[in-house]
Amino acid sequence: MRAYILISGAVFGAVALVHVIRLLLDWPARVADWAVPIWISWIAVFGAGALCIWAFRLVGEKRA
């Protein structure tokens, strides 16, 4: 279970990092014909970042 939580935290951290890079470099994103607004990346950064932090905190609690 610990390995799963570590991997999940790393994946969520990578997703948050990609969204931060998108915000900094103003990368466009498209889903089919829909241009994804930049403000959605702000939501994704906070959501994925929160899940990343939560996962790593769970791993830290299980060690103690």
Side-chain angles (χ1 to χ4, degrees):
M1 186 68 152
R2 183 172 180 266
Y4 172 77
I5 295 172
L6 274 173
I7 292 169
S8 295
V11 169
F12 283 121
V15 168
L17 182 62
V18 169
H19 279 285
V20 167
I21 292 170
R22 178 181 183 231
L23 288 166
L24 292 175
L25 300 179
D26 200 28
W27 284 349
R30 296 190 68 78
V31 176
D33 290 334
W34 179 57
V36 180
I38 201 80
W39 61 266
I40 289 181
S41 281
W42 284 108
I43 295 170
V45 165
F46 289 115
L51 290 171
C52 174
I53 291 168
W54 187 17
F56 286 121
R57 289 178 105 188
L58 280 175
V59 169
E61 288 177 5
K62 289 192 177 231
R63 273 193 188 169

